[in-house]
Amino acid sequence: MKIFNFYIVILVSLGGCSPFLNGDKDLLVPVEGKDYALVINENYEAQRFILNLKALTDKNLCVSVDVWPNSIGQLSFATDRAYVLIGEEKYPYLQDRNFGYCVGICHIKVLSGKSIKGFVTFSEFDDEAFLEEKAKRNLIYQVQPSFCDDYS
């Protein structure tokens, strides 16, 4: 019983050092608007949404290759987290794609104060969202970077 109590005391003591238990979650998860900014603009002529992710913090950020668009403007497993919004009407991302298992470097590094750009093509969404050229379209897509100073 003494050994069990000893382990409980150790676990509780170590848990007190955890940033989550101390309420300092900013140490582990970058906050949009404070640590990074994601700006999404529409380019109707090019038939794409342009994404610009900028690191606002003095730390480097990393974005998983699974959540950033590939070189031809497609997203991996995005039907649950990407859609076009026009007013109150949602137009879904049409196809879940599996880009496969990542071997090697599986993140994109965003250096402090720098930005990365990508795009998502209109053809990834329901065609009805793009019938009216002058419509006010918003791509709703959340990217959650992480701090990556600890790895390459």
Side-chain angles (χ1 to χ4, degrees), residues 106-122:
C106 299
H107 62 271
I108 302 164
K109 187 177 262 191
V110 186
L111 299 175
S112 173
K114 301 294 182 186
S115 60
I116 60 171
K117 292 185 181 182
F119 68 92
V120 180
T121 61
F122 286 0

Side-chain angles (χ1 to χ4, degrees), residues 122-139:
F122 286 0
S123 61
E124 297 299 301
F125 299 92
D126 187 331
D127 288 341
E128 291 183 22
F130 306 99
L131 294 177
E132 187 181 331
E133 183 176 347
K134 303 275 186 214
K136 176 66 175 139
R137 278 176 285 277
N138 292 304
L139 171 61

Side-chain angles (χ1 to χ4, degrees), residues 4-53:
F4 178 74
N5 289 339
F6 173 75
Y7 284 120
I8 295 295
V9 168
I10 294 297
L11 287 174
V12 169
S13 297
L14 290 174
C17 298
S18 167
F20 283 123
L21 294 179
N22 290 328
D24 198 0
K25 294 180 185 171
D26 290 351
L27 293 176
L28 300 175
V29 179
V31 176
E32 187 169 9
K34 176 184 172 213
D35 299 312
Y36 71 96
L38 175 64
V39 176
I40 302 173
N41 292 304
E42 176 187 316
N43 183 331
Y44 193 85
E45 292 75 30
Q47 298 288 288
R48 58 180 58 170
F49 292 101
I50 309 298
L51 285 70
N52 187 353
L53 178 70

Side-chain angles (χ1 to χ4, degrees), residues 46-63:
Q47 298 288 288
R48 58 180 58 170
F49 292 101
I50 309 298
L51 285 70
N52 187 353
L53 178 70
K54 182 171 185 173
L56 303 175
T57 179
D58 59 351
K59 298 179 183 179
N60 295 329
L61 299 177
C62 281
V63 177

